[in-house]
C-alpha cells in the first residue's frame, strides 16, 4: 500500500516537473512577444512605416528597410520556390531508392544545417566575386535563396507525399505518361500544400541577417534600390545596427523596438498564415 | 511508332530536368565546401596551420606582428554551446515527454504551433532581446557591467535550440511502439515509470539526434551571439566573461577587411572550420536518426 502511494507521489511530482518545463518555454515566448509588442507598439506610426530614416537614423521611419526586405525576399522566392518544387518532384515521383537518391537526400539534410554565416561567405565568393553581381540586392537574394532551398524541397516533398498513390495509378492506367499523370493528377492537389510549406521557409529567410551582411545589405541609403545591382536596406540588418552599432544607442532604442516589432509581425504573420492553412488542409484530408 | 519515340524522348527530358534540380542540392553542398577550401588555403602561405588551430591570440591588424590563432574563438563557441545545451536538453526533453505522454491531445495541438512560433523568431530579434531584456537581469544577478557575456549567449541559444529538440524528441517518443507502453503498464508500472524507464530509453537514439541537431544550430548561430556575448577577443575565463565566437568574429571583421589579404583568407579559414564542425555534428545526428528509422521498419 505504502509503495503504491509512493509511486503515485513520484509520478505526480515528475509530471509536475515536466509541466513546469512546458510553462517555462511558453513564458519565455510570451515575455518576448509582450516586451516587443509593448515597447515597439509606441514607436509604430504611419510616419514610421512610410518614411526614410532622418537625422542620422535618430528620427523618421524604416520604409526603405521594409521595401528592401520585401524585394530581397521576392528574389529569394524566385530562386528557391521553383527549384525546391522541381527537386521535390524528382525525389517523390521519379527517384528510385538508389545511391544517387540517398546522396541527394543526405546533401539536402546537411545543407539545412550549414550555418547562415557560411552561406554568406559562399555568397561573397560565388555571387559577389565570381558572377560579378557585386554587393547588391541580387547577390543577397540569391544567397538567401540557396539557404532556403533545402527547406522548400523538404516542405514541397511533404505536400507531394499527401497525394494518394491511387491518383497517380488512375492516370497511368488510362495510358497517361508519367509526366501527364504528375501534371494532371498530382500537382493540382499538391501545389497549395507546397506553397504554404515554402512560405514558412521564406519567412525564415526574410528574418535572416548573417547571409546578407556582406552580400548587399547597406548601413544606410538615402534612396531606394533602383535596380537589382544596387545595395539595399533590410529590416533585420537595420535592427542590428540600431541595437548595437548606432552612436546614440539609448536614444534610438524606441526605434529599434519598433523595427523589431515590424520584423516579428512580418515573419510571424507569414508563419501563422502558413501554419493555419496547413492545419486546415490536414483537417480536410482527414 | 515515331510518335511514341518522340513522347519517350520528351518524358526522359522532363525526368532529366527534375533530376538536375535534385542534383543541384549536391552541387551546392560541394560548392560551399570547395569555395571555402580554395579561399581558405591562401591564408596558409603566411600562417602555420598549427599556429592557426592551437594559438589563442587573434590580432590580424597588429602593427608589429599579426597573429592568427583561433583557439580562443573555438573555446568560446564550445563554451557558449555547452551552456546552451545544459539548459535546452533537459527542458526540451521534458517538454517533449510532457507533450507525448502527459498532455491532453488538445493541449498538444495548441502547443506544437506555438513552439513553431518560437522557432520562427528571427535570430537578430533574439539577440536584441538578449541586450535589452536578459542583459540587465544578468548584470544585476552577477554584478557584471552590462550583462553581455557567455551566460547571456547560452540562454539565448538554448531558447533557439529548444524548438528543434522538442519537436524531434517528441516525434521519436511517439514512434515508440504502443506495445512497449502496454506491456510496461500491464506489469504494474506507473505511467511515469513507463515513460522514464521504457519509452525514453527506447527513443534514446532519436532524442540524442535531436540534441545534436540543436547543438549544430547553436554552433552556427551568428547574430544572437554577436549581439549578446560582448565580443571580447581574450580567452574566456568562465561563463561571466565576454566572449567572441567564431561566427561573431567573421561577422565583425569581414565587413572591414580588404579583399585578398591574409586576414581575408583567414576569415574564410574560420568559416571552413565552422563548416566542418557543423557538418560533422549534423552528419552524426543524421546517421543516428537514419539507423533508428531503419530499425523501426
Amino acid at each position: 500500500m505504502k509503495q503504491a502511494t509512493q509511486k503515485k507521489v513520484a509520478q505526480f511530482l515528475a509530471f509536475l516537473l515536466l509541466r513546469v518545463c512546458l510553462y517555462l518555454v511558453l513564458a519565455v515566448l510570451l515575455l518576448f512577444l509582450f516586451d516587443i509588442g509593448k515597447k515597439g507598439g509606441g514607436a509604430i506610426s504611419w510616419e514610421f512605416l512610410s518614411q526614410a530614416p532622418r537625422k542620422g537614423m535618430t528620427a523618421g521611419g524604416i520604409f526603405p528597410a521594409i521595401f528592401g526586405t520585401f524585394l530581397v525576399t521576392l528574389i529569394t522566392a524566385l530562386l528557391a520556390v521553383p527549384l525546391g518544387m522541381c527537386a521535390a518532384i524528382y525525389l517523390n515521383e521519379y527517384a528510385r531508392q538508389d545511391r544517387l537518391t540517398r546522396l541527394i537526400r543526405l546533401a539536402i539534410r546537411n545543407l539545412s544545417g550549414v550555418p547562415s554565416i557560411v552561406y554568406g561567405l559562399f555568397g561573397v565568393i560565388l555571387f559577389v566575386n565570381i558572377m560579378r553581381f557585386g554587393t547588391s540586392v541580387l547577390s543577397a537574394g540569391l544567397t538567401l535563396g540557396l539557404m532556403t532551398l533545402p527547406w522548400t524541397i523538404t516542405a514541397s516533398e511533404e505536400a507531394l507525399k499527401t497525394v494518394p498513390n491511387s491518383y497517380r495509378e488512375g492516370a497511368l492506367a488510362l495510358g497517361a505518361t508519367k509526366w501527364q499523370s504528375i501534371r494532371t493528377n498530382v500537382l493540382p492537389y499538391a501545389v497549395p500544400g507546397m506553397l504554404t510549406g515554402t512560405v514558412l521557409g521564406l519567412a525564415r529567410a526574410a528574418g535572416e541577417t548573417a547571409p546578407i551582411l556582406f552580400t548587399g545589405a547597406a548601413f544606410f541609403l538615402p534612396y531606394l534600390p533602383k535596380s537589382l545591382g544596387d545595395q539595399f536596406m533590410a529590416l533585420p540588418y537595420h535592427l542590428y545596427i540600431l541595437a548595437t552599432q548606432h552612436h546614440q544607442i539609448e536614444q534610438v532604442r524606441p526605434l529599434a523596438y519598433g523595427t523589431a516589432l515590424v520584423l516579428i509581425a512580418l515573419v510571424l504573420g507569414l508563419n501563422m498564415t502558413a501554419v493555419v492553412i496547413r492545419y486546415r488542409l490536414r483537417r480536410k484530408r482527414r | 511508332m515515331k510518335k511514341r519515340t518522340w513522347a519517350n524522348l520528351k518524358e526522359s527530358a522532363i525526368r532529366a530536368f527534375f533530376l538536375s534540380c535534385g542534383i543541384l542540392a549536391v552541387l551546392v553542398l560541394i560548392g560551399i565546401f570547395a569555395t571555402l577550401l580554395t579561399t581558405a588555403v591562401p591564408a596558409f602561405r603566411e600562417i602555420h596551420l598549427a599556429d592557426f588551430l592551437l594559438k589563442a591570440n587573434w590580432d590580424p591588424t597588429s602593427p608589429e606582428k599579426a597573429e592568427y590563432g583561433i583557439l580562443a574563438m573555438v573555446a568560446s563557441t564550445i563554451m557558449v554551446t555547452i551552456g546552451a545545451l545544459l539548459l535546452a536538453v533537459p527542458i526540451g526533453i521534458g517538454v517533449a515527454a510532457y507533450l507525448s505522454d502527459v498532455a491532453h491531445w488538445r493541449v498538444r495541438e495548441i502547443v506544437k504551433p506555438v513552439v513553431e512560433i518560437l522557432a520562427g523568431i528571427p535570430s537578430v530579434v533574439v539577440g536584441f532581446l538578449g541586450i535589452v531584456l536578459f542583459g540587465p537581469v544578468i548584470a544585476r544577478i552577477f554584478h557584471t557591467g552590462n550583462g553581455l557575456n557567455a551566460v547571456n549567449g547560452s540562454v539565448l541559444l538554448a531558447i533557439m535550440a529548444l524548438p528543434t529538440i522538442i519537436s524531434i524528441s517528441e516525434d521519436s517518443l511517439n514512434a515508440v511502439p504502443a506495445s512497449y507502453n502496454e506491456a510496461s503498464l500491464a506489469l504494474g508500472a506507473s505511467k511515469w515509470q513507463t515513460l522514464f524507464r521504457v519509452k525514453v530509453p527506447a527513443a534514446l537514439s532519436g532524442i540524442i539526434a535531436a540534441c545534436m541537431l540543436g547543438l549544430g544550430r547553436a554552433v552556427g548561430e551568428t547574430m544572437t551571439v554577436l549581439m549578446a556575448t560582448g565580443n571580447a577577443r581574450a580567452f574566456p575565463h568562465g561563463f561571466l566573461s565576454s566572449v567572441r565566437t567564431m561566427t561573431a568574429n567573421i561577422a565583425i571583421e569581414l565587413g572591414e577587411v580588404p579583399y585578398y589579404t591574409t586576414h581575408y583568407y583567414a576569415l574564410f579559414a574560420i568559416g571552413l572550420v565552422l563548416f566542418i564542425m557543423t557538418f560533422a555534428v549534423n552528419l552524426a545526428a543524421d546517421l543516428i536518426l537514419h539507423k533508428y528509422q531503419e530499425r523501426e521498419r
Side-chain angles (χ1 to χ4, degrees):
Chain A
M1 198 59 217
K2 202 179 161 201
Q3 217 184 357
T5 2
Q6 241 174 12
K7 226 156 87 173
K8 262 188 193 151
V9 171
Q11 167 157 324
F12 176 78
L13 289 176
F15 284 180
L16 190 70
L17 193 68
L18 298 186
R19 190 184 296 230
V20 167
C21 288
L22 176 66
Y23 288 160
L24 204 62
V25 173
L26 295 182
V28 166
L29 181 65
L30 278 181
L31 178 69
F32 278 15
L33 296 181
F34 178 75
D35 191 59
I36 289 191
K38 197 182 84 179
K39 295 185 185 145
I44 304 287
S45 64
W46 178 242
E47 191 207 354
F48 186 71
L49 296 176
S50 65
Q51 290 190 5
R54 280 181 289 114
K55 296 181 190 159
M57 295 197 275
T58 55
I62 54 167
F63 179 70
I66 297 176
F67 180 81
T69 287
F70 178 74
L71 188 64
V72 81
T73 309
L74 192 69
I75 298 171
T76 307
L78 288 178
L79 179 76
V81 174
L83 278 179
M85 284 183 171
C86 292
I89 291 174
Y90 175 75
L91 285 173
N92 200 59
E93 306 296 325
Y94 287 98
R96 280 187 292 267
Q97 268 305 329
D98 56 9
R99 204 176 268 172
L100 179 64
T101 311
R102 274 208 296 275
L103 183 68
I104 293 174
R105 288 189 189 280
L106 187 74
I108 292 167
R109 285 194 300 262
N110 274 291
L111 275 179
S112 63
V114 171
S116 53
I117 187 109
V118 170
Y119 278 102
L121 292 175
F122 183 55
V124 168
I125 298 291
L126 182 66
F127 299 124
V128 178
N129 293 352
I130 295 179
M131 295 194 178
R132 299 190 175 281
F133 295 147
T135 47
S136 62
V137 65
L138 182 62
S139 295
L142 294 177
T143 308
L144 283 176
L146 289 185
M147 189 190 75
T148 317
L149 194 57
W151 307 333
T152 55
I153 296 175
T154 317
S156 303
E157 210 193 335
E158 289 300 316
L160 284 170
K161 273 187 197 153
T162 60
V163 179
N165 253 334
S166 52
Y167 288 26
R168 297 176 182 93
E169 286 153 6
L172 292 174
L174 292 174
T177 62
K178 181 113 188 165
W179 168 240
Q180 283 168 337
S181 100
I182 294 171
R183 203 187 57 205
T184 58
N185 278 25
V186 177
L187 289 184
Y189 305 97
V191 164
M194 283 168 134
L195 288 178
T196 50
T198 54
V199 166
L200 283 173
L202 290 177
R204 222 146 109 193
E208 270 292 346
T209 321
I212 62 173
L213 274 178
F214 313 111
T215 51
F219 193 83
F220 171 73
L221 285 177
Y223 49 83
L224 295 177
K226 288 188 193 68
S227 74
L228 292 181
D230 285 346
Q231 287 192 301
F232 65 108
M233 290 178 75
L235 280 173
Y237 188 49
H238 192 64
L239 172 58
Y240 167 65
I241 288 164
L242 289 181
T244 64
Q245 306 287 298
H246 202 277
H247 53 279
Q248 286 163 306
I249 285 199
E250 289 308 321
Q251 202 190 327
V252 297
R253 201 63 3 128
L255 294 179
Y257 263 110
T259 311
L261 180 60
V262 173
L263 178 60
I264 226 172
L266 181 90
V267 171
L268 293 191
L270 279 173
N271 252 314
M272 271 193 233
T273 324
V275 169
V276 167
I277 295 174
R278 199 177 55 186
Y279 182 73
R280 288 219 177 128
L281 282 178
R282 264 191 207 155
R283 267 189 125 177
K284 232 201 271 175
R285 288 245 158 67
R286 272 182 210 152
Chain B
M1 198 61 214
K2 204 168 181 197
K3 201 176 161 196
R4 181 165 251 181
T5 46
W6 174 242
N8 276 344
L9 205 67
K10 192 179 154 204
E11 281 295 310
S12 16
I14 290 171
R15 183 180 191 277
F17 168 72
F18 287 129
L19 172 63
S20 64
C21 293
I23 288 180
L24 187 73
V26 183
L27 292 182
V28 172
L29 189 64
I30 296 173
I32 291 175
F33 181 69
T35 47
L36 285 179
L37 190 67
T38 50
T39 321
V41 161
F44 297 102
R45 286 191 299 231
E46 283 185 32
I47 313 166
H48 283 291
L49 184 62
D51 287 353
F52 180 74
L53 292 175
L54 298 174
K55 287 208 169 158
N57 282 338
W58 175 269
D59 194 2
T61 51
S62 159
E64 290 113 44
K65 187 177 176 296
E67 288 183 287
Y68 296 97
I70 62 167
L71 195 62
M73 291 174 218
V74 177
S76 303
T77 294
I78 292 174
M79 201 173 86
V80 175
T81 307
I82 288 178
L85 288 182
L86 285 177
L87 290 168
V89 167
I91 296 177
I93 296 176
V95 174
Y98 185 81
L99 289 180
S100 78
D101 278 77
V102 187
H104 193 261
W105 66 268
R106 268 197 199 146
V107 176
R108 192 162 53 216
E109 291 275 291
I110 296 169
V111 169
K112 286 200 91 171
V114 170
V115 171
E116 280 186 53
I117 292 177
L118 191 61
I121 295 181
S123 55
V124 68
V125 174
V126 178
F128 177 62
L129 290 167
I131 297 174
V132 294
L133 264 184
F134 293 129
V137 175
I138 290 170
R140 207 174 304 147
I141 296 174
F142 299 107
H143 305 289
T144 56
N146 52 10
L148 298 184
N149 50 29
V151 176
N152 199 333
S154 290
V155 172
L156 299 179
L157 287 184
I159 293 168
M160 299 189 72
L162 270 171
T164 312
I165 297 180
I166 292 173
S167 67
I168 298 180
S169 299
E170 204 218 329
D171 286 347
S172 52
L173 279 171
N174 281 332
V176 173
S179 54
Y180 288 28
N181 204 13
E182 289 151 9
S184 169
L185 292 175
L187 288 173
S190 69
K191 260 174 93 178
W192 161 244
Q193 285 170 325
T194 306
L195 175 64
F196 187 61
R197 303 227 185 115
V198 177
K199 286 193 80 174
V200 169
L204 198 61
S205 52
I207 293 174
I208 290 173
C211 297
M212 291 182 72
L213 288 176
L215 171 97
R217 223 187 142 184
V219 168
E221 181 47 54
T222 307
M223 298 316 289
T224 324
V225 285
L226 173 63
M227 294 167 85
T229 59
N231 297 321
R233 275 190 212 167
F235 200 88
H237 293 294
F239 272 99
L240 292 176
S241 30
S242 156
V243 297
R244 180 187 288 202
T245 63
M246 299 157 74
T247 49
N249 190 66
I250 298 174
I252 291 167
E253 294 183 356
L254 192 64
E256 293 154 8
V257 64
Y259 271 30
Y260 311 123
T261 56
T262 301
H263 185 187
Y264 174 83
Y265 294 130
L267 290 177
F268 279 84
I270 299 177
L272 181 65
V273 174
L274 193 64
F275 177 80
I276 293 171
M277 280 169 76
T278 49
F279 188 82
V281 169
N282 287 320
L283 198 66
D286 198 65
L287 288 176
I288 295 171
L289 269 183
H290 207 74
K291 228 179 180 174
Y292 168 79
Q293 279 167 353
E294 247 159 41
R295 202 191 57 198
E296 285 301 315
R297 275 178 212 147

